[in-house]
Amino acid sequence: MPLVKTWQLIAGSAVAGLALSVAAVTASGPWDSGQRKAERDRVASQGPTGGADHGGEPLPQAAPSAPGVLGAIGPGAPRPQTATGSEDADERLAAVLGPLLADPALGTARTASVVDTATGRVLYASGPREAMTPASTIKIATAAAALAALGPEHRIRTTVTPGPGPGQIVLVGGGDPSLTAKKKSPAGSGGSLVALAADTAQALKAAGTDRVALAYDDSLYTGPARHPIGANPNIAPVTSLAADQGRRGDSVSGPADRTDDPAGDAARAFAALLTDRGVQVDGAPARGRAPAGAQPMATTLSTPLAGLVERMLTHSDNDIAEALARQTALASGRPASFEGAEQAVRDRLAALGVDVGGSRFADGSGLGRADRVSAGLLTGILAKAAGPEHPQLRPVLTGLPVAGFTGTLRARNAGDSPAAGLLRAKTGTLSGVNSLAGTVVDASGRLLAFAFLTANTPGPEGAEKALDRLAAAVAGTAAPATP
């Protein structure tokens, strides 16, 4: 039985799916989250002749158009396929994917699922319900659960409250993974300790205070802070208070040396920022608790959840992933721990109508080998994100890296690949485990969701190339319309 059933989609979903295909192609350019609006504003601010930068030179030529992959929905488009035509297309897709899936570079176990997001029809499947270690493709599940629990506009608060005694203040962590101590946020809008310190200093001085004792409260999360894999450059200790993801140095993504005490380091950075603004901080910041019911004197807000999801998926950010899993737990009334997040993510996905049988969400990032999901679960989530019933899940699609352009797919399926610029997918890599799951507009204009999971691969390079060939085949195997 397919995980996504045709009867679950409302009448007219095919039209909605094709409309989303247009949006997917439009969005599939070399931009990261937030940059599209900046580019649009910049263009709008220029004059009709192209802006002062061009002077009296001839106007630049228009950029070449992308191939007409959406001709099926334009004026004079051919009629939709007959059932026979669809069956022929599915057979053709199976004939292409079967041999590619048998590539020894994909290891000793491999599963696959390809679904038409507009109809929910399973176009190809091989072991689609078999639970496998997904590596970072589990971030698709983390993203969907967080968006379902909190919505795309939700922002995470970091606050400063009065302490339990006179002259005391408490820096309270809310779990914002975008919080930074840098003067200019490296990733655009997000929580800022610099802005929070300025607002706190202003509030203190307005109350006639320029000397305080600082405590910090990181009690929102419970359980072990260390990921089960232990100390690792791919992730910091998971705490509700951390600046710049606990990174030492100037890196903003990828592996990096991490602090063992993210909360304490964030508090010490905050104390220094207060000192710079004329507020004397007595002693070193100490761990404490904000008084019950204390009202914030200053607040800074995270990037909206949609932006956090997009950043997490585009760059495979493990710190954001674990933060979003815990935020899902908090929104679900569960403990903000690895165990609480696991149950909360599972419950949210089940409530969306996704088959979670045999799945395990031991973490939000996919760094652990205890995670288990199926290819069918991943395509089920992607189809839900593309459908009209759950618009809050759209960032799951818009955050996926674009083949040949962005994030972890920048160098994959690039150049003259039929998937370049059209395929959006989340990668997954652990030793002996390689996966790829995402969406692609095929040559007939259908938006397809796909997932390929493998195990016991002999090496990442060969496995990634084999996965890319599978994805390119999905993009290039069209279903020709019948007259």
Side-chain angles (χ1 to χ4, degrees), residues 55-76:
E57 299 176 2
L59 294 178
Q61 295 297 312
S65 298
V69 297
L70 297 181
I73 61 174

Side-chain angles (χ1 to χ4, degrees), residues 161-171 213-217 286-292 294:
T161 71
Q168 297 178 337
I169 61 173
V170 184
L171 174 64
L214 174 65
Y216 61 94
D217 186 343
R287 181 175 276 108
R289 290 287 187 98

Side-chain angles (χ1 to χ4, degrees), residues 131-155:
M132 303 267 286
T133 299
S136 280
T137 54
I138 204 172
K139 291 183 173 76
I140 292 172
T142 303
L147 289 164
L150 295 161
E153 300 302 320
H154 178 75
R155 291 175 182 257

Side-chain angles (χ1 to χ4, degrees), residues 177-199:
S178 70
L179 187 66
T180 181
K182 301 181 186 298
K183 291 183 179 179
K184 183 177 180 181
S185 173
S189 64
S192 170
L193 283 181
V194 177
L196 188 64
D199 291 345

